[in-house]
Amino acid sequence: MTSSVTTVRSADGSEITVEAIGSGAPIVLIGGAFNDRSTVTGLAATLAPHFTAIGYDRRGRGGSTDATGKFAVESEVEDLAAVIEYAGGAAAVFGHSSGAALALEGVLAGLPIDKVALYEIPAVVDGNRPEPPAEVFDRLVALIAAGDRDSAAELFLTEQVQVPAPVVEGMRNSPVWEFLCAQAPSLPYDVAVCGPSMRLQTDRYATIATPTLVINGDQTTPWMQTASKALAAAIPGSRHVVLPGEDHNILNQPAPLEPLLREFFVRG
């Protein structure tokens, strides 16, 4: 089964690269920080026998441009709106990590999202982890303006996500580091969509009426498990599923998601 790649134009003129595979009802797949459309191709392939799976490069990543560089959540919501319009005017949405936060912003903005599935939103709730320093966003913007992608990637990982420094150093000395640095110019969007404090926006999410599936793995970091549980509790009528043996890197081996998402997106 072959995929098709095209570009759509967002409201501010940014060009967003979109890749679709399969046939049937459309599902838009949104990756998180350091992800471009290539990181959701495995999941797209597992869904393609049943749906039209659509991945895209969030602005400033891969083949997508960023016409304004304002790092505003509204810009990414407009991008998602353009992708949904390309999909036929309405679609289901799956979001991973900060992509889950973006999917929720799309729902809250009233985009034509039929159903939404969310995997491990990164959020602070009930003291599950310390809040990141308030100035991370501004420091990231400054590093990107200076062309220092390496330091931007390190800052995001160590202070925003709180990956231990020795682990980050190991990543720096591995082949994956080049890929991470390539996505670094878009990291302020990940901070913006999750909120500088990363606090779970319980009051806002309590207004959601869209059918919602919240997922996490039982091997992921404890604070993300807590966040998923709290998110499911905040969204009325949502369903919460814990996948045994899975962690935050599920997009690398997405097969366990396929039956769960297929059942949810077909039946709700």
Side-chain angles (χ1 to χ4, degrees), residues 66-193:
D66 185 0
T68 61
K70 293 181 178 179
F71 303 115
V73 175
E74 293 77 13
S75 297
E76 286 218 276
V77 171
E78 291 170 353
D79 300 343
L80 178 56
V83 175
I84 293 173
E85 180 63 25
Y86 160 82
V93 173
F94 168 85
H96 175 271
S97 195
S98 71
L102 176 54
L104 287 170
E105 289 300 321
V107 170
L108 290 167
L111 299 189
I113 296 173
D114 301 324
K115 302 170 185 174
V116 62
L118 312 164
Y119 192 88
E120 295 191 0
I121 189 171
V124 175
V125 59
D126 295 336
N128 60 344
R129 52 153 283 182
E131 294 180 9
E135 72 277 5
V136 167
F137 178 87
D138 291 336
R139 289 163 62 197
L140 279 172
V141 172
L143 287 170
I144 292 162
D148 191 350
R149 297 185 177 192
D150 187 276
S151 295
E154 179 182 18
L155 171 60
F156 184 88
L157 287 167
T158 56
E159 298 194 34
Q160 187 72 15
V161 187
Q162 298 187 347
V163 177
V167 175
V168 175
E169 189 60 27
M171 296 166 71
R172 174 179 272 109
N173 294 319
S174 74
V176 75
W177 192 252
E178 181 178 357
F179 179 81
L180 298 183
C181 289
Q183 320 305 322
S186 64
L187 290 174
Y189 283 110
D190 297 288
V191 176
V193 77

Side-chain angles (χ1 to χ4, degrees), residues 18-21 26-30 40 44 52-56 83 86-88 91:
V18 178
E19 184 170 0
I21 185 172
I27 300 176
V28 176
L29 310 176
I30 312 175
V40 299
T52 300
I54 302 168
Y56 71 100
V83 175
Y86 160 82

